[in-house]
Amino acid sequence: MTGSSAAAARTPRAALAELLTGNRRFVSGQPVHGHDVTAAAAVASGDQQPYAVLLGCIDSRVPLEAIFDQTFGSICVIRTGAHVLDRAVCGSIEYVVGQLGVPLVMVLGHERCGAVASAVDTLRTGERPGGSLAYVVDQIAPAVTEVGADDPRAHPMAVRRHVLRTVATLRADDLLSGPVADGRVDVVGAVYDLATGEVTLLDR
């Protein structure tokens, strides 16, 4: 994204349009930035002026800068297993919105998410994993319970439900709820299709 388009994407609507336009370039195989990850490209990015913060999964098949065709400095990226929230993640988003003036937060889930599959398996078998993975599973479990762990489509439905639950949590965050209420910031949810490369927005 050029400096001029970065300046233009300072409202939630414009920022979302910029992201989705980048995804269409990616899907069509005509990215502007591609995988230009040279040191020269980093230097040319100049000052940090991101227009969106994306919270996604750690899955190696979902590189957020690539699937939205973004360059250095245009978006902030946070990745955890199944975009699970904790205080560090929430604090990071609060910083980007409050200190850098970013107008858009996107929570991006994806098809065939392994962390969500672990949560589904845990609720079906009753066998809870050990270590800190248990925390990740526990954060996803309410979404699985809401869609029904025994439903044959529990996994894809839980992916979407977990995205929407994460969106709702962030919209209610102490430092985000005010800017969201007055329209200066929006928090949206979406799902990435591993087979097609397409990002689909979810209705709240």
Side-chain angles (χ1 to χ4, degrees):
M1 188 172 72
T2 65
S4 59
S5 56
R10 301 314 296 182
T11 66
R13 184 185 297 272
L16 182 57
E18 186 72 31
L19 275 181
L20 297 179
T21 298
N23 179 241
R24 287 193 292 273
R25 293 194 302 267
F26 171 75
V27 172
S28 70
Q30 298 177 318
V32 171
H33 304 291
H35 292 279
D36 184 8
V37 292
T38 63
V43 171
S45 65
D47 294 335
Q48 179 176 211
Q49 294 182 322
Y51 70 91
V53 54
L54 273 63
L55 172 59
C57 183
I58 59 171
D59 194 296
S60 61
R61 300 166 294 179
V62 192
L64 300 185
E65 291 89 347
I67 67 176
F68 288 103
D69 188 30
Q70 299 299 303
T71 189
F72 287 92
S74 60
I75 60 174
C76 293
V77 170
I78 303 170
R79 297 174 68 173
T80 65
H83 54 80
V84 162
L85 296 172
D86 61 19
R87 291 183 66 185
V89 171
C90 291
S92 298
I93 294 173
E94 290 170 354
Y95 172 80
V96 171
V97 171
Q99 300 299 314
L100 301 183
V102 167
L104 181 71
V105 180
M106 175 181 280
V107 179
L108 185 68
H110 68 92
E111 306 289 0
R112 305 201 303 274
C113 178
V116 173
S118 294
V120 172
D121 289 344
T122 294
L123 268 67
R124 285 177 175 173
T125 65
E127 298 179 3
R128 190 166 176 267
S132 296
L133 177 57
Y135 173 83
V136 174
V137 167
D138 288 347
Q139 301 309 301
I140 304 168
V144 180
T145 299
E146 288 179 9
V147 302
D150 293 327
D151 190 298
R153 298 193 69 250
H155 187 187
M157 291 192 300
V159 166
R160 286 155 178 77
R161 177 59 59 186
H162 181 51
V163 169
L164 293 175
R165 288 177 58 88
T166 306
V167 167
T169 299
L170 288 173
R171 289 177 66 85
D173 179 274
D174 288 344
L175 297 186
L176 300 180
S177 59
V180 167
D182 64 23
R184 288 183 291 119
V185 172
D186 199 7
V187 183
V188 302
V191 173
Y192 175 70
D193 190 327
L194 292 171
T196 67
E198 292 185 33
V199 171
T200 302
L201 292 175
L202 299 180
D203 293 330
R204 283 196 289 267

